[in-house]
């Protein structure tokens, strides 16, 4: 019998707020988390806006020594992980530590620390480089730091799959629990990519929005005809996943069940999706088959929805291919319109949003949807949240390199 996997805790650090409730309330209110970059002088960059985390005090979750030694992506991950544990009420002891894993990934790792170290190397030479540099930059060290802090002795590793990292991390954590290697896993993603070199690189690739510097609140406009690229963001999302019977036995509150997971590749192009979203079509079908659900059971999709011309049109075409006539009845929204694109953390926080939408009966909107695009002609929950009870929902994540991850969630049932 397949071991079922449920969500019992969520921790979020996002451009909309610190903590799950603060973030969720801002999300359903349609608030915008995007503004001018303050992390560095961005005046010479084509894109000068981002979804920055505001008011984050690392000393709420770690001492000063650790705060100095950890890259921001690790700080966000640690904070989100500790919030998720508190929300779940899961206690990790000497008796169960080996049955609790940690799979919390990052797309680019400690790029802020790497760039600062390169500057220091040029200025004062190799003898002044911090001995903590390598642990600061390796993508898996966020999960390592979190597992050490929590005492998780189960599987501790991370996928690194660009913008699909968060979805892959959660999906692979589901598989760990299903096959019986763990009873609980901390899963998700974290990213702190707001460094000059990252911004310059994405601009050089013509991937980011360049038209929104004067009106950052309008810059991220998924599925809108005037979209011209994504807006980067930072933050973390960590979910506590548990085997269902394990969660029920300890009386845990269950947010939702993760019913299906699909992962595949386009084998097409390093940055562009396959024509017609062919890879996304196959990935969504894999996730639906894994969940044992027909397409018409899905009531909501949290889209990858990056606000780039190719992604949004390709994802729309893929949804129509998979869902057929039901696509016209589906609610589809992109929460990146409010958070920006959190890269390796995107799939994690969007999984959390999808689970909360099921639990609370509210679908978050796609803000800044003003000018319809003939190539994007679905119901994108425009501009205002919608109170709708859905039994099952999907969250999509697609990354550079043609890597895809899709998760299917359903309302938890007692039987």
């Amino acid at each position: 019998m397949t071991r079922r996997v449920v969500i019992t805790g969520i921790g979020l650090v996002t451009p909309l707020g610190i903590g799950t409730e603060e973030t969720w309330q801002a999300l359903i209110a349609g608030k915008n988390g995007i503004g001018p970059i303050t992390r560095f002088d961005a005046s010479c960059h084509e894109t000068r806006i981002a979804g920055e985390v505001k008011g984050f005090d690392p000393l709420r979750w770690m001492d000063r020594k650790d705060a100095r030694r950890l890259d921001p992506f690790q700080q966000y991950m640690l904070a989100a992980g500790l919030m998720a544990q508190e929300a779940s009420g899961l206690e990790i002891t000497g008796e169960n530590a080996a049955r609790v894993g940690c799979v919390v990934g990052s797309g680019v790792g400690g790029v802020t620390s790497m760039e600062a170290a390169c500057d220091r190397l040029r200025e004062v030479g190799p003898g002044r480089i911090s001995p903590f540099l390598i642990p600061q930059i390796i993508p898996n060290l966020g999960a390592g730091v979190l597992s050490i802090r929590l005492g998780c002795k189960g599987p501790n590793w991370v996928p690194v799959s660009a913008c699909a990292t968060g979805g892959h991390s959660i999906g692979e954590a589901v598989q760990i629990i299903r096959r019986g290697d763990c009873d609980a896993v901390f899963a998700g993603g974290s990213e702190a990519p707001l460094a000059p070199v990252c911004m310059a690189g994405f601009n050089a690739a013509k991937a980011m929005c360049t038209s929104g510097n004067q009106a950052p609140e309008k810059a991220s406009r998924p599925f809108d005809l005037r979209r011209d690229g994504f807006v980067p963001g930072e933050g973390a999302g960590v979910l506590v996943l548990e085997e269902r019977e394990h969660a029920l036995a300890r009386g845990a509150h269950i947010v939702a069940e993760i019913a299906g997971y699909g992962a595949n590749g386009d084998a097409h192009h390093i940055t562009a999706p396959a024509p017609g979203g062919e890879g996304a079509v196959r990935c969504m079908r894999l996730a639906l088959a894994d969940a044992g659900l027909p397409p018409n059971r899905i009531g909501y999709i949290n889209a990858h929805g990056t606000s780039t011309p190719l992604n949004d049109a390709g994802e729309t075409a893929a949804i129509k291919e998979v869902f057929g006539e039901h696509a016209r009845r589906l609610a589809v929204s992109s929460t990146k319109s409010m958070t920006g694109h959190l890269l390796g953390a995107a799939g994690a926080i969007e999984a959390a949003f999808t689970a909360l939408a099921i639990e609370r009966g509210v679908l978050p909107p796609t803000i800044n949807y003003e000018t319809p695009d003939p190539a994007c002609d679905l119901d994108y929950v425009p501009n205002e949240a919608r109170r709708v009870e859905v039994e099952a929902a999907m969250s999509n994540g697609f990354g550079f390199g043609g890597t895809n991850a899709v998760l299917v969630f359903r309302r938890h049932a007692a039987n």
Side-chain angles (χ1 to χ4, degrees):
M1 183 176 179
T2 301
R3 286 159 57 92
R4 293 165 62 183
V5 180
V6 297
I7 302 166
T8 59
I10 296 173
L12 297 174
V13 176
T14 78
L16 294 176
I18 310 297
T20 300
E21 285 306 316
E22 184 177 339
T23 295
W24 176 255
Q25 293 304 322
L27 186 80
I28 62 172
K31 292 186 177 179
N32 192 285
I34 295 166
I37 291 173
T38 64
R39 295 282 185 272
F40 60 91
D41 180 3
S43 59
C44 64
H45 289 257
E46 289 183 272
T47 299
R48 300 184 290 279
I49 56 175
E52 294 184 338
V53 170
K54 306 163 191 72
F56 180 78
D57 180 4
L59 300 184
R60 288 178 58 187
W61 295 279
M62 65 203 80
D63 61 27
R64 291 186 185 277
K65 181 173 68 174
D66 282 340
R68 288 195 302 270
R69 293 177 175 179
L70 298 180
D71 184 85
F73 95 92
Q74 296 164 332
Q75 294 180 3
Y76 297 155
M77 188 181 295
L78 184 56
L82 293 174
M83 286 187 277
Q85 183 194 29
E86 181 179 8
S88 75
L90 177 67
E91 294 184 11
I92 302 172
T93 67
E95 293 182 353
N96 70 1
R99 301 285 299 169
V100 182
C102 193
V103 184
V104 188
S106 179
V108 299
V111 65
T112 303
S113 296
M114 174 63 89
E115 186 166 30
C118 288
D119 290 342
R120 190 166 182 81
L121 178 65
R122 285 187 292 267
E123 292 168 2
V124 298
R128 301 297 297 276
I129 297 299
S130 168
F132 300 104
L133 173 62
I134 300 305
Q136 286 173 333
I137 66 176
I138 300 174
N140 79 291
L141 259 291
V145 167
L146 181 59
S147 70
I148 291 167
R149 177 67 176 270
L150 295 174
C152 305
K153 295 185 177 181
N156 171 0
W157 67 283
V158 304
V160 178
S161 52
C163 308
T165 296
H168 280 134
S169 295
I170 292 169
E172 294 302 318
V174 167
Q175 302 291 52
I176 289 170
I177 294 172
R178 282 177 173 177
R179 66 176 179 252
D181 292 350
C182 282
D183 296 317
V185 179
F186 288 77
S190 183
E191 206 77 274
L194 304 184
V197 69
C198 263
M199 298 295 291
F202 280 123
N203 274 143
K206 306 299 182 185
M208 288 197 303
C209 171
T210 57
S211 66
N213 293 318
Q214 302 307 314
E217 72 281 358
K218 295 286 188 179
S220 184
R221 44 179 61 250
F223 305 109
D224 187 272
L225 181 65
R226 293 180 294 165
R227 67 191 184 277
D228 74 327
F230 79 84
V231 178
E234 61 176 356
V238 177
L239 283 61
V240 178
L241 309 187
E242 283 188 65
E243 192 274 325
R244 179 176 178 269
E245 297 304 318
H246 183 271
L248 291 174
R250 66 181 189 85
H253 171 72
I254 293 174
V255 179
E257 180 175 355
I258 302 182
Y261 168 51
N264 71 353
D266 286 1
H268 170 66
H269 190 273
I270 60 171
T271 57
E278 183 272 339
V281 167
R282 289 186 290 107
C283 200
M284 285 189 276
R285 285 175 171 161
L286 286 170
L288 288 169
D290 187 47
L293 293 176
N296 63 9
R297 290 283 299 279
I298 302 296
Y300 168 64
I301 298 177
N302 188 294
H304 189 55
T306 57
S307 190
T308 60
L310 287 178
N311 173 88
D312 294 3
E315 187 171 12
T316 297
I319 290 169
K320 290 193 284 190
E321 176 68 21
V322 171
F323 291 91
E325 287 300 314
H326 183 60
R328 300 296 175 186
R329 296 185 290 274
L330 265 173
V332 180
S333 70
S334 173
T335 47
K336 289 183 178 73
S337 59
M338 292 170 277
T339 65
H341 191 348
L342 275 67
L343 307 181
I349 69 161
E350 290 160 13
F353 293 162
T354 308
L356 290 168
I358 291 174
E359 181 192 39
R360 301 184 181 192
V362 182
L363 307 184
T366 304
I367 68 167
N368 298 326
Y369 185 77
E370 297 170 346
T371 308
D373 180 350
C376 301
D377 55 353
L378 298 177
D379 173 8
Y380 301 113
V381 194
N383 302 311
E384 292 185 2
R386 183 180 301 165
R387 291 198 169 274
V388 177
E389 298 282 342
V390 297
E391 293 299 316
M394 175 180 284
S395 180
N396 290 340
F398 313 127
F400 280 6
T403 181
N404 306 313
V406 174
L407 297 166
V408 172
F409 304 79
R410 65 183 170 208
R411 185 179 303 278
H412 176 253
N415 58 0

